[in-house]
Amino acid sequence: MNFADALHSEIHKKKSPLCIGLDPHIDCIPEVFTKGKTPPQIIEDFLKEVINAASPYCACVKPNLAFFEIWGSDGWRALESVCEEAKKQKLYVIADGKRNDIGSTAERYAEAFLGAKTPYDALTITPYLGQDGIIPFIQTASQNKKGVFVLVKTSNPSSGEFQDLPVGDCLLHEEVARAVARIGTMDTGDTDFSSVGAVVGATHPDDIKILRSEMPGQIFLIPGYGAQGGSAADVKTAFYNDGRGAIVNSSRGILFPQGEKDPIENIKNAAEKARKELYTISLS
Amino acid sequence: MNFADALHSEIHKKKSPLCIGLDPHIDCIPEVFTKGKTPPQIIEDFLKEVINAASPYCACVKPNLAFFEIWGSDGWRALESVCEEAKKQKLYVIADGKRNDIGSTAERYAEAFLGAKTPYDALTITPYLGQDGIIPFIQTASQNKKGVFVLVKTSNPSSGEFQDLPVGDCLLHEEVARAVARIGTMDTGDTDFSSVGAVVGATHPDDIKILRSEMPGQIFLIPGYGAQGGSAADVKTAFYNDGRGAIVNSSRGILFPQGEKDPIENIKNAAEKARKELYTISLS
């Protein structure tokens, strides 16, 4: 099975297209996890607790690399430790690093995140450099049954500044989508899904519908759900009728939920609520 | 002085617009530096030797982060150690990480690379996310007298796939150039140069000329010189008559030069040759 088929299988088993974003805002971490510790130990210990609490409710987690790199090499060590814990819990780990480069440099980034012995299963990449900056990642991913997610349409307010510029008969992000669909055929699995997915923001539901038809074989990684304003209904068109085709990321809504119980119970409840909501939508 | 003025001053003092790219291809490192060691210690020790040998001939170095991340957190520790050595030699350090993200994530990447206590002076970033993905980097850079270099036009064969698409009255990379020039006014120094520079590939000399007029206040970071096929004459139009306006990167040509002397002498000779050639062109 390629990455897409394996991930779909796990989503089906867990009845959960939820991806939990590991964006550890240090000021939001409950005191019980910070007492007597300094970062990055705080984020490492907190995220391991989150992973252990929430792993029944999701197939994958997405560590946001900036939140680790801010602590330098010690932060990277925490990243590795957190991701190894996620692998122990049989979760898919999507390194959200938005890497991009060409040739031998891209090969090294690919090896760093998609190499056989790394604790990551997929990496987000940015397409500005064209296919020279995408293909080396796909080659390494394909060899190791791992995946990549190419930024196509992001969820931030200024995403349209370049991504929505008209280029010929479509917008730039649609041109990128077509390139991703085309290059994605380099590694398709038994069910015609590619190990090359796409990042598509949930704050643009109309875009999602168009992009679904431009990229029929891509798993969509959808950020922007929950705290960023996207609703479950917004992401509906990303899913095929059988529930395949997308994973939906929630970070703050799971890591730092409102709730009156102890923090871990609140996290479990938030994850189960998001799982149920997204699973229902994915099959509706 | 802002980053641009300080860098220009150092370039003037050293008579060198050369930037040495720290891309340590492990298979190319001479045996004298590898014997009895394992990576990433090999790259750390080799690059410190390179920095000590070549520092008289350049104002800045550009570590390519992929070559460190391939060794995980140990690689990041080597990166920090190498960059601290470069700072001891009073070199400007441009972290070539091509980071890109938005909001609080961008702020964290900015803090990781442009924070006051980090051993880096500038960071390369990728513009696909629009100004939400650029401004947080400028804000942190400005506070700490550091800089950013935004990818505008890259030097790889497929760079035109998206960057050269026509958008309205210009090409996408020119639209990006205009945005960089506009946003760059957020932090201009005494000489009208901004702390926001631009990455412009040397393999496209015609583009350099056009982009120089689109971005009058940007320092150009020009990769692609030497091993990648760009000549010194190709980069001439990036410089103003007084020699300001650009730094030109050479990686393999300096780190792994041909030569019959001992490796360190060869590196010194290659750096001095590139310095002289580029300095002459910058003033011609």
Coordinates of all heavy atoms in Angstrom, one line a residue, chain A residues 25 64-67 69-70 72-74 76-77 80 98-102 104-105 108-109 112-113 126-132 151-152 154 156-158 161-163 167 172 176, chain B residues 25 64-67 69-70 72-74 76-77 80 98-102 104-105 108-109 112-113 126-132 151-152 154 156-158 161-163 167 172 176:
Chain A
H25 N 1.4 26.3 21.8 CA 1.5 27.7 22.3 C 1.8 27.6 23.8 O 1.0 27.2 24.6 CB 0.2 28.4 22.2 CG -0.2 28.7 20.7 ND1 0.0 29.9 20.1 CD2 -0.7 27.9 19.8 CE1 -0.4 29.8 18.9 NE2 -0.9 28.6 18.6
N64 N 3.8 21.2 14.1 CA 4.1 22.4 13.4 C 5.6 22.8 13.8 O 5.9 23.2 15.0 CB 3.2 23.5 13.9 CG 3.4 24.8 13.2 OD1 4.5 25.1 12.8 ND2 2.4 25.6 13.2
L65 N 6.5 22.7 12.9 CA 7.9 22.7 13.2 C 8.4 24.0 13.8 O 9.3 24.0 14.6 CB 8.8 22.3 12.0 CG 9.1 20.9 11.8 CD1 7.9 20.0 11.9 CD2 9.9 20.6 10.6
A66 N 7.7 25.1 13.5 CA 8.1 26.4 14.0 C 8.1 26.4 15.6 O 8.9 27.0 16.2 CB 7.2 27.5 13.5
F67 N 7.1 25.7 16.1 CA 7.0 25.7 17.6 C 8.1 24.9 18.3 O 8.2 24.9 19.5 CB 5.6 25.1 17.9 CG 4.5 26.0 17.7 CD1 4.0 26.3 16.4 CD2 3.8 26.7 18.8 CE1 3.0 27.2 16.2 CE2 2.8 27.6 18.6 CZ 2.4 27.8 17.3
E69 N 11.4 24.6 16.5 CA 12.6 25.3 16.1 C 12.9 26.6 16.9 O 14.0 27.0 17.0 CB 12.5 25.7 14.6 CG 12.5 24.4 13.7 CD 12.6 24.7 12.2 OE1 12.7 25.8 11.8 OE2 12.6 23.7 11.5
I70 N 11.8 27.2 17.4 CA 12.0 28.4 18.3 C 12.9 28.0 19.5 O 13.6 28.9 20.0 CB 10.7 29.0 18.7 CG1 10.9 30.4 19.3 CG2 9.9 28.0 19.7 CD1 9.6 31.1 19.6
G72 N 15.5 26.0 19.1 CA 16.8 25.6 18.5 C 17.0 24.0 18.5 O 16.0 23.3 18.4
S73 N 18.2 23.6 18.6 CA 18.5 22.1 18.6 C 17.8 21.4 19.7 O 17.4 20.2 19.5 CB 20.0 21.9 18.6 OG 20.6 22.5 19.7
D74 N 17.6 22.0 20.9 CA 16.9 21.4 21.9 C 15.4 21.2 21.5 O 14.8 20.2 21.9 CB 16.9 22.2 23.2 CG 18.3 22.2 23.8 OD1 19.1 21.3 23.5 OD2 18.6 23.1 24.6
W76 N 14.4 20.7 18.5 CA 14.4 19.6 17.5 C 14.5 18.3 18.2 O 13.9 17.3 17.8 CB 15.6 19.8 16.5 CG 15.1 20.3 15.2 CD1 14.6 21.5 14.9 CD2 15.0 19.5 14.0 NE1 14.2 21.6 13.6 CE2 14.5 20.4 13.0 CE3 15.4 18.3 13.6 CZ2 14.3 20.0 11.7 CZ3 15.2 17.9 12.3 CH2 14.6 18.8 11.3
R77 N 15.2 18.2 19.3 CA 15.3 17.0 20.0 C 13.9 16.7 20.6 O 13.4 15.5 20.6 CB 16.3 17.1 21.2 CG 16.8 15.7 21.6 CD 18.0 15.9 22.6 NE 19.2 16.4 21.9 CZ 20.0 15.7 21.1 NH1 19.8 14.5 20.9 NH2 21.0 16.3 20.6
E80 N 11.7 15.3 17.8 CA 11.9 13.9 17.5 C 11.3 13.0 18.6 O 10.7 11.9 18.3 CB 13.4 13.6 17.5 CG 14.1 14.3 16.2 CD 15.6 14.4 16.3 OE1 16.2 14.3 17.4 OE2 16.2 14.7 15.2
K98 N 6.7 23.0 5.6 CA 6.6 23.8 4.4 C 8.0 24.0 3.8 O 8.3 25.1 3.3 CB 5.9 25.1 4.7 CG 4.5 25.0 5.2 CD 3.7 26.3 5.5 CE 2.3 26.0 5.9 NZ 2.0 25.3 7.1
R99 N 8.7 22.9 3.7 CA 10.1 23.0 3.1 C 9.9 23.2 1.6 O 8.9 22.9 1.0 CB 10.8 21.7 3.4 CG 11.2 21.5 4.9 CD 12.0 22.6 5.4 NE 12.5 22.3 6.8 CZ 12.0 22.7 7.9 NH1 10.9 23.5 7.9 NH2 12.6 22.4 9.0
N100 N 11.0 23.8 1.0 CA 11.0 23.9 -0.4 C 12.4 24.3 -0.8 O 13.1 25.1 -0.3 CB 10.0 25.0 -0.9 CG 10.3 26.4 -0.3 OD1 10.7 27.3 -1.0 ND2 10.1 26.6 1.0
D101 N 12.9 23.5 -1.8 CA 14.2 23.8 -2.4 C 14.4 22.8 -3.6 O 13.4 22.1 -3.9 CB 15.4 23.6 -1.4 CG 16.5 24.6 -1.6 OD1 17.0 24.7 -2.7 OD2 16.8 25.4 -0.7
I102 N 15.5 22.8 -4.2 CA 15.7 22.1 -5.4 C 16.9 21.1 -5.4 O 17.7 21.2 -4.5 CB 16.0 23.1 -6.6 CG1 17.2 24.0 -6.2 CG2 14.8 23.9 -6.9 CD1 17.8 24.8 -7.3
S104 N 19.9 18.8 -5.1 CA 20.5 18.0 -4.0 C 20.0 18.5 -2.6 O 20.0 17.8 -1.6 CB 22.0 18.1 -4.1 OG 22.4 19.4 -4.0
T105 N 19.6 19.8 -2.6 CA 19.1 20.3 -1.3 C 17.7 19.7 -1.0 O 17.4 19.3 0.1 CB 19.0 21.9 -1.4 OG1 20.3 22.4 -1.6 CG2 18.5 22.5 -0.1
R108 N 18.0 16.3 0.4 CA 18.4 16.3 1.8 C 17.2 16.6 2.7 O 17.0 15.9 3.7 CB 19.6 17.2 2.1 CG 20.8 16.5 1.6 CD 22.0 17.4 1.6 NE 23.2 16.7 1.2 CZ 23.5 16.3 0.0 NH1 22.7 16.5 -1.0 NH2 24.6 15.5 -0.2
Y109 N 16.4 17.6 2.3 CA 15.2 17.8 3.1 C 14.3 16.5 3.1 O 13.7 16.1 4.1 CB 14.4 19.0 2.6 CG 14.9 20.3 3.0 CD1 15.1 21.4 2.1 CD2 15.1 20.6 4.4 CE1 15.5 22.6 2.5 CE2 15.5 21.9 4.8 CZ 15.7 22.9 3.9 OH 16.1 24.1 4.3
A112 N 15.6 14.0 5.3 CA 15.5 14.4 6.7 C 14.1 14.1 7.3 O 13.9 13.7 8.4 CB 15.7 15.9 6.9
F113 N 13.1 14.2 6.4 CA 11.7 14.0 6.9 C 11.0 12.8 6.3 O 10.0 12.3 6.9 CB 10.9 15.3 6.5 CG 11.3 16.5 7.3 CD1 12.1 17.5 6.7 CD2 11.0 16.6 8.6 CE1 12.5 18.6 7.4 CE2 11.4 17.7 9.3 CZ 12.2 18.7 8.7
T126 N 6.2 23.6 -0.2 CA 5.7 24.8 -0.8 C 6.1 24.8 -2.3 O 7.3 24.5 -2.6 CB 6.2 26.0 -0.1 OG1 5.7 26.0 1.3 CG2 5.7 27.3 -0.7
P127 N 5.2 25.1 -3.3 CA 5.5 24.8 -4.7 C 6.1 25.9 -5.5 O 6.3 25.8 -6.7 CB 4.1 24.6 -5.2 CG 3.2 25.5 -4.4 CD 3.8 25.6 -3.0
Y128 N 6.5 27.0 -4.9 CA 7.0 28.2 -5.7 C 8.1 27.9 -6.7 O 8.2 28.6 -7.7 CB 7.4 29.3 -4.7 CG 7.6 30.7 -5.4 CD1 6.5 31.4 -5.9 CD2 8.8 31.3 -5.4 CE1 6.7 32.6 -6.5 CE2 9.0 32.5 -6.0 CZ 7.9 33.2 -6.6 OH 8.1 34.4 -7.1
L129 N 8.9 26.9 -6.4 CA 10.1 26.6 -7.2 C 9.8 25.7 -8.4 O 10.7 25.3 -9.2 CB 11.2 26.0 -6.4 CG 11.7 26.9 -5.3 CD1 12.2 26.1 -4.1 CD2 12.9 27.7 -5.8
G130 N 8.5 25.3 -8.6 CA 8.1 24.4 -9.7 C 8.5 22.9 -9.4 O 8.9 22.6 -8.2
Q131 N 8.4 22.1 -10.4 CA 8.5 20.7 -10.1 C 9.9 20.2 -9.7 O 10.0 19.2 -9.0 CB 8.0 19.9 -11.4 CG 8.9 20.1 -12.6 CD 8.3 19.3 -13.8 OE1 7.5 18.4 -13.7 NE2 8.9 19.6 -15.0
D132 N 10.9 21.0 -10.0 CA 12.3 20.7 -9.4 C 12.2 20.6 -7.9 O 13.0 20.0 -7.3 CB 13.3 21.7 -9.8 CG 13.5 21.9 -11.3 OD1 13.1 21.0 -12.0 OD2 14.1 23.0 -11.7
L151 N 1.4 22.7 -0.6 CA 0.5 23.8 -0.4 C -0.1 24.3 -1.7 O 0.6 24.6 -2.7 CB 1.3 25.0 0.1 CG 1.3 25.2 1.6 CD1 2.0 24.1 2.3 CD2 1.9 26.6 2.0
V152 N -1.4 24.2 -1.8 CA -2.1 24.7 -3.0 C -2.8 26.0 -2.7 O -2.6 27.0 -3.3 CB -3.0 23.6 -3.6 CG1 -3.9 24.1 -4.7 CG2 -2.2 22.4 -4.1
T154 N -4.0 28.2 0.7 CA -3.9 28.3 2.2 C -5.0 29.1 2.8 O -5.9 29.6 2.0 CB -2.5 28.9 2.6 OG1 -2.4 30.2 1.9 CG2 -1.4 28.0 2.1
N156 N -5.0 31.6 5.1 CA -4.8 32.9 5.7 C -5.4 34.1 4.9 O -5.7 33.9 3.7 CB -3.3 33.2 5.8 CG -2.6 33.0 4.5 OD1 -2.6 32.0 3.9 ND2 -1.9 34.1 4.1
P157 N -5.7 35.2 5.6 CA -6.3 36.3 4.8 C -5.7 36.7 3.5 O -6.3 37.0 2.6 CB -6.3 37.5 5.9 CG -6.3 36.8 7.2 CD -5.5 35.5 7.0
S158 N -4.3 36.8 3.5 CA -3.6 37.3 2.3 C -3.3 36.1 1.3 O -2.5 36.3 0.4 CB -2.4 38.0 2.6 OG -1.3 37.1 2.9
E161 N -3.4 36.9 -2.4 CA -2.5 37.9 -3.0 C -1.7 37.4 -4.2 O -1.7 38.1 -5.2 CB -1.5 38.4 -1.9 CG -0.7 39.6 -2.3 CD 0.2 40.1 -1.1 OE1 -0.1 39.8 0.0 OE2 1.1 40.9 -1.4
F162 N -1.1 36.2 -4.1 CA -0.5 35.6 -5.2 C -1.3 34.4 -5.7 O -1.5 34.1 -6.9 CB 0.9 35.1 -4.9 CG 1.8 36.3 -4.4 CD1 2.5 36.2 -3.2 CD2 1.9 37.5 -5.2 CE1 3.2 37.3 -2.8 CE2 2.6 38.5 -4.7 CZ 3.3 38.4 -3.5
Q163 N -1.9 33.6 -4.8 CA -2.5 32.3 -5.1 C -3.8 32.5 -6.0 O -4.2 31.6 -6.7 CB -2.9 31.5 -3.8 CG -1.7 31.1 -3.0 CD -2.0 30.6 -1.6 OE1 -3.1 30.1 -1.4 NE2 -1.1 30.8 -0.7
V167 N -4.1 33.4 -14.1 CA -3.1 33.0 -15.0 C -3.7 32.2 -16.2 O -4.1 31.0 -16.0 CB -2.0 32.1 -14.3 CG1 -1.2 33.0 -13.4 CG2 -2.5 30.9 -13.6
L172 N -3.8 31.1 -10.1 CA -2.5 30.5 -9.9 C -2.7 29.2 -9.1 O -2.1 28.2 -9.4 CB -1.6 31.5 -9.1 CG -0.2 30.9 -8.7 CD1 0.6 30.4 -10.0 CD2 0.6 31.9 -7.9
V176 N -1.4 25.4 -9.9 CA -0.6 24.6 -9.0 C -1.3 23.3 -8.8 O -0.7 22.2 -8.8 CB -0.3 25.3 -7.7 CG1 0.4 24.4 -6.7 CG2 0.6 26.6 -7.9
Chain B
H25 N 28.3 19.0 1.2 CA 28.2 17.6 0.6 C 29.2 16.7 1.2 O 30.4 16.8 0.9 CB 28.4 17.7 -0.9 CG 27.4 18.5 -1.7 ND1 26.4 17.9 -2.4 CD2 27.2 19.8 -1.9 CE1 25.7 18.8 -3.0 NE2 26.1 20.0 -2.7
N64 N 23.1 26.3 4.4 CA 21.9 25.7 3.7 C 21.3 24.6 4.7 O 22.0 23.6 5.0 CB 22.4 25.0 2.4 CG 21.3 24.3 1.7 OD1 20.2 24.0 2.3 ND2 21.5 24.2 0.4
L65 N 20.2 24.9 5.3 CA 19.7 24.2 6.4 C 19.5 22.7 6.1 O 19.6 21.9 7.1 CB 18.4 24.8 7.0 CG 18.8 25.9 8.1 CD1 19.8 26.9 7.7 CD2 17.5 26.5 8.6
A66 N 19.1 22.4 4.9 CA 18.8 21.0 4.6 C 20.0 20.1 4.9 O 19.9 18.9 5.3 CB 18.5 20.8 3.1
F67 N 21.3 20.6 4.7 CA 22.5 19.8 4.9 C 22.7 19.6 6.4 O 23.6 18.7 6.7 CB 23.7 20.5 4.3 CG 23.7 20.4 2.8 CD1 22.8 21.1 2.0 CD2 24.6 19.6 2.2 CE1 22.8 21.0 0.6 CE2 24.7 19.5 0.8 CZ 23.8 20.1 0.0
E69 N 19.8 19.5 8.7 CA 18.5 18.8 9.1 C 18.6 17.4 8.8 O 17.9 16.6 9.4 CB 17.3 19.5 8.5 CG 17.1 20.9 9.1 CD 15.8 21.6 8.7 OE1 15.0 21.0 8.0 OE2 15.6 22.8 9.1
I70 N 19.3 17.0 7.7 CA 19.4 15.6 7.4 C 20.0 14.8 8.5 O 19.7 13.6 8.6 CB 20.2 15.4 6.1 CG1 20.0 14.0 5.5 CG2 21.7 15.8 6.3 CD1 20.6 13.8 4.1
G72 N 19.1 15.5 11.7 CA 18.2 15.6 12.8 C 18.7 16.7 13.8 O 19.3 17.6 13.5
S73 N 18.3 16.4 15.1 CA 18.7 17.4 16.1 C 20.2 17.5 16.3 O 20.7 18.6 16.6 CB 18.0 17.0 17.5 OG 18.3 15.7 17.8
D74 N 20.9 16.4 16.0 CA 22.4 16.6 16.1 C 22.9 17.5 15.0 O 23.9 18.2 15.2 CB 23.1 15.2 15.9 CG 22.8 14.3 17.1 OD1 22.5 14.8 18.2 OD2 22.9 13.0 17.0
W76 N 21.2 20.0 13.8 CA 20.9 21.4 14.2 C 21.9 21.9 15.2 O 22.2 23.1 15.3 CB 19.5 21.4 14.8 CG 18.5 22.0 13.9 CD1 18.1 21.5 12.7 CD2 17.9 23.3 14.0 NE1 17.2 22.3 12.1 CE2 17.1 23.4 12.8 CE3 17.9 24.3 14.9 CZ2 16.3 24.6 12.6 CZ3 17.1 25.4 14.7 CH2 16.3 25.6 13.6
R77 N 22.4 21.0 16.1 CA 23.4 21.4 17.1 C 24.7 21.8 16.3 O 25.3 22.8 16.6 CB 23.7 20.3 18.1 CG 24.3 20.8 19.3 CD 24.4 19.7 20.4 NE 23.1 19.2 20.8 CZ 22.3 19.8 21.7 NH1 22.7 21.0 22.2 NH2 21.1 19.3 22.0
E80 N 24.2 25.3 14.8 CA 24.3 26.3 15.8 C 25.8 26.6 16.0 O 26.3 27.7 16.1 CB 23.6 26.0 17.0 CG 22.1 26.0 16.9 CD 21.3 25.3 18.0 OE1 21.9 24.5 18.7 OE2 20.1 25.5 18.0
K98 N 14.4 28.9 3.7 CA 13.2 29.1 2.8 C 11.9 28.8 3.6 O 11.0 28.2 3.2 CB 13.3 28.2 1.6 CG 14.5 28.6 0.7 CD 14.5 27.8 -0.6 CE 15.7 28.3 -1.5 NZ 17.0 28.2 -1.0
R99 N 11.9 29.4 4.8 CA 10.7 29.2 5.7 C 9.5 29.9 5.2 O 9.7 30.9 4.4 CB 11.0 29.6 7.1 CG 12.1 28.8 7.8 CD 11.7 27.3 7.9 NE 12.5 26.5 8.8 CZ 13.5 25.8 8.4 NH1 13.8 25.6 7.2 NH2 14.2 25.1 9.3
N100 N 8.3 29.5 5.5 CA 7.1 30.2 5.1 C 6.0 29.7 5.9 O 5.8 28.5 6.0 CB 6.9 30.1 3.6 CG 6.7 28.7 3.1 OD1 5.6 28.3 2.7 ND2 7.7 27.9 3.2
D101 N 5.3 30.6 6.5 CA 4.0 30.3 7.3 C 3.4 31.6 7.7 O 3.9 32.7 7.3 CB 4.3 29.4 8.5 CG 3.2 28.4 8.6 OD1 2.0 28.8 8.8 OD2 3.4 27.2 8.6
I102 N 2.3 31.5 8.4 CA 1.6 32.8 8.7 C 1.4 33.0 10.2 O 1.7 32.1 11.0 CB 0.1 32.6 8.1 CG1 -0.5 31.3 8.6 CG2 0.2 32.7 6.6 CD1 -2.0 31.2 8.3
S104 N 1.0 33.3 14.0 CA 1.8 33.0 15.2 C 2.9 32.0 14.8 O 3.9 31.9 15.4 CB 0.9 32.4 16.3 OG 0.3 31.3 15.9
T105 N 2.7 31.2 13.7 CA 3.7 30.3 13.3 C 4.9 31.0 12.7 O 6.0 30.7 13.0 CB 3.1 29.2 12.3 OG1 2.1 28.5 12.9 CG2 4.2 28.2 11.9
R108 N 7.0 32.5 15.2 CA 8.0 31.6 15.8 C 9.2 31.3 15.0 O 10.3 31.2 15.4 CB 7.2 30.3 16.2 CG 6.5 30.5 17.6 CD 5.5 29.5 17.9 NE 4.9 29.8 19.2 CZ 4.0 30.7 19.4 NH1 3.5 31.4 18.4 NH2 3.5 30.9 20.6
Y109 N 8.9 31.1 13.7 CA 10.1 30.9 12.8 C 11.0 32.2 12.8 O 12.2 32.1 12.8 CB 9.6 30.7 11.3 CG 9.2 29.3 11.0 CD1 8.0 29.0 10.3 CD2 10.1 28.2 11.3 CE1 7.6 27.7 10.0 CE2 9.7 26.9 11.0 CZ 8.5 26.7 10.3 OH 8.1 25.4 10.0
A112 N 13.0 32.1 15.9 CA 14.0 31.1 15.8 C 15.2 31.5 15.0 O 16.3 31.1 15.4 CB 13.4 29.8 15.2
F113 N 15.0 32.3 14.0 CA 16.2 32.7 13.1 C 16.6 34.1 13.2 O 17.7 34.5 12.8 CB 15.8 32.3 11.7 CG 15.7 30.8 11.5 CD1 14.5 30.2 11.4 CD2 16.9 30.1 11.4 CE1 14.4 28.8 11.2 CE2 16.8 28.7 11.2 CZ 15.6 28.1 11.1
T126 N 9.9 32.2 1.6 CA 9.2 31.9 0.3 C 7.9 32.6 0.4 O 7.2 32.5 1.4 CB 9.1 30.4 0.2 OG1 10.4 29.8 0.2 CG2 8.4 30.0 -1.1
P127 N 7.5 33.3 -0.7 CA 6.4 34.2 -0.6 C 5.0 33.7 -1.0 O 4.0 34.5 -1.0 CB 6.8 35.3 -1.7 CG 7.4 34.4 -2.8 CD 8.2 33.4 -2.0
Y128 N 4.8 32.4 -1.2 CA 3.5 31.9 -1.7 C 2.3 32.2 -0.9 O 1.2 32.3 -1.4 CB 3.7 30.3 -1.8 CG 2.5 29.7 -2.6 CD1 2.4 29.9 -4.0 CD2 1.6 28.8 -2.0 CE1 1.4 29.3 -4.7 CE2 0.6 28.2 -2.8 CZ 0.5 28.5 -4.1 OH -0.5 27.9 -4.8
L129 N 2.5 32.5 0.4 CA 1.4 32.8 1.3 C 1.0 34.2 1.3 O 0.0 34.6 2.1 CB 1.7 32.3 2.7 CG 1.9 30.8 2.8 CD1 2.9 30.5 3.9 CD2 0.6 30.0 3.1
G130 N 1.6 35.1 0.6 CA 1.3 36.5 0.6 C 1.9 37.2 1.8 O 2.7 36.6 2.5
Q131 N 1.5 38.5 2.0 CA 2.1 39.3 3.0 C 2.0 38.8 4.4 O 2.8 39.1 5.2 CB 1.7 40.8 2.8 CG 0.2 41.0 3.0 CD -0.1 42.5 2.8 OE1 0.8 43.3 2.8 NE2 -1.4 42.8 2.8
D132 N 0.9 38.0 4.7 CA 0.8 37.4 6.0 C 2.0 36.6 6.4 O 2.3 36.4 7.5 CB -0.4 36.5 6.1 CG -1.8 37.2 5.8 OD1 -1.8 38.4 5.9 OD2 -2.7 36.4 5.6
L151 N 12.4 34.9 -1.6 CA 12.5 34.3 -2.9 C 11.7 35.0 -3.9 O 10.4 35.0 -3.8 CB 12.1 32.8 -2.9 CG 13.2 31.7 -2.7 CD1 13.8 31.9 -1.4 CD2 12.7 30.4 -3.0
V152 N 12.3 35.5 -5.0 CA 11.5 36.2 -6.0 C 11.7 35.4 -7.3 O 10.7 34.9 -7.9 CB 12.0 37.6 -6.2 CG1 11.4 38.3 -7.5 CG2 11.6 38.5 -5.0
T154 N 14.0 32.2 -8.8 CA 15.1 31.2 -8.4 C 15.9 30.8 -9.7 O 15.5 31.1 -10.8 CB 14.5 30.0 -7.7 OG1 13.4 29.4 -8.5 CG2 13.9 30.5 -6.3
N156 N 16.7 27.6 -10.7 CA 16.5 26.2 -11.1 C 15.8 26.1 -12.5 O 15.1 27.0 -12.8 CB 15.8 25.4 -10.1 CG 14.4 26.0 -9.7 OD1 14.4 27.1 -9.3 ND2 13.4 25.2 -9.9
P157 N 16.0 25.0 -13.2 CA 15.4 24.9 -14.5 C 13.9 25.1 -14.5 O 13.3 25.7 -15.4 CB 15.7 23.4 -14.9 CG 17.0 23.1 -14.2 CD 16.9 23.8 -12.9
S158 N 13.1 24.6 -13.5 CA 11.7 24.7 -13.5 C 11.2 25.9 -12.8 O 10.0 26.1 -12.5 CB 11.0 23.5 -12.9 OG 11.1 23.5 -11.5
E161 N 8.1 27.6 -14.1 CA 6.8 26.9 -14.2 C 5.6 27.7 -13.6 O 4.6 27.9 -14.2 CB 6.9 25.6 -13.5 CG 5.7 24.7 -13.7 CD 6.0 23.3 -13.1 OE1 7.2 22.9 -12.8 OE2 5.1 22.5 -12.9
F162 N 5.9 28.3 -12.4 CA 4.9 29.2 -11.8 C 5.4 30.7 -11.8 O 4.7 31.6 -12.0 CB 4.6 28.8 -10.4 CG 4.1 27.4 -10.3 CD1 4.7 26.4 -9.4 CD2 3.0 26.9 -11.0 CE1 4.3 25.1 -9.3 CE2 2.6 25.6 -11.0 CZ 3.2 24.7 -10.1
Q163 N 6.7 30.8 -11.6 CA 7.3 32.2 -11.4 C 7.2 33.0 -12.6 O 7.2 34.3 -12.6 CB 8.7 32.1 -10.9 CG 8.9 31.5 -9.5 CD 10.3 31.1 -9.2 OE1 11.3 31.7 -9.7 NE2 10.5 30.1 -8.4
V167 N 0.7 37.4 -15.2 CA -0.4 37.8 -14.3 C -0.6 39.3 -14.6 O 0.1 40.1 -14.2 CB -0.1 37.6 -12.9 CG1 -0.1 36.1 -12.5 CG2 1.2 38.2 -12.4
L172 N 4.5 36.5 -12.8 CA 4.3 36.3 -11.3 C 5.5 36.8 -10.5 O 5.3 37.5 -9.5 CB 4.0 34.8 -11.0 CG 3.8 34.5 -9.5 CD1 2.7 35.3 -8.9 CD2 3.7 33.0 -9.3
V176 N 5.6 39.5 -7.4 CA 6.1 39.2 -6.1 C 7.2 40.3 -5.8 O 7.3 40.8 -4.7 CB 6.8 37.8 -6.1 CG1 7.6 37.6 -4.8 CG2 5.7 36.7 -6.2

